[in-house]
């Protein structure tokens, strides 16, 4: 009976990794961002974050992006970012 679930610290590390990945998406150039395998809702959230200037609102938008990232498989996005870094 090994029904252990990840510890709170492990879940937090995973969330923070997704949050950081989402922040990287915000900083990409628009042309690079279009090449990313993002679903429509996540793409809209990232574009909205680029328009936000208020610190508190941007922080909340980044949290929302992290929440959306938790619903999808982040590996294709990580791979696309790695390819982009290699070509830069």
């Amino acid at each position: 009976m090994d029904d252990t679930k990840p510890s709170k610290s492990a879940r937090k590390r995973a969330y923070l990794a997704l949050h950081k990945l989402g922040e990287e998406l915000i900083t990409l150039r628009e042309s690079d961002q279009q090449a990313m395998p993002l679903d429509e809702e996540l793409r809209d959230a990232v574009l909205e974050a680029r328009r936000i200037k208020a610190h508190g609102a941007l922080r909340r938008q980044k949290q929302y992006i992290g929440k959306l990232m938790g619903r999808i498989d982040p590996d294709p996005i990580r791979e696309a970012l790695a390819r982009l870094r290699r070509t830069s």
Side-chain angles (χ1 to χ4, degrees):
M1 201 156 99
D2 193 15
D3 293 333
T4 60
K5 55 183 184 174
S7 68
K8 183 177 180 182
S9 297
R11 289 192 318 260
K12 186 172 182 177
R13 279 191 298 274
Y15 168 76
L16 290 175
L18 290 175
H19 185 81
K20 184 177 178 191
L21 186 61
E23 286 183 355
E24 285 185 61
L25 291 174
I26 294 170
T27 62
L28 289 176
R29 289 179 292 175
E30 183 120 10
S31 60
D32 294 335
Q33 201 175 59
Q34 294 299 325
M36 291 291 138
L38 306 176
D39 68 343
E40 194 64 32
E41 189 175 13
L42 181 57
R43 187 177 308 277
D44 291 343
V46 169
L47 290 174
E48 181 65 27
R50 293 178 70 141
R51 287 189 287 261
I52 295 174
K53 301 296 181 210
H55 178 71
L58 182 58
R59 181 183 56 80
R60 285 188 300 275
Q61 188 69 13
K62 287 178 181 179
Q63 287 176 337
Y64 177 63
I65 290 170
K67 181 180 177 181
L68 292 175
M69 296 284 291
R71 296 179 190 165
I72 63 169
D73 180 19
D75 290 334
I77 297 171
R78 285 188 181 113
E79 291 170 6
L81 280 172
R83 281 193 307 272
L84 185 64
R85 286 186 201 116
R86 281 193 298 264
T87 60
S88 296

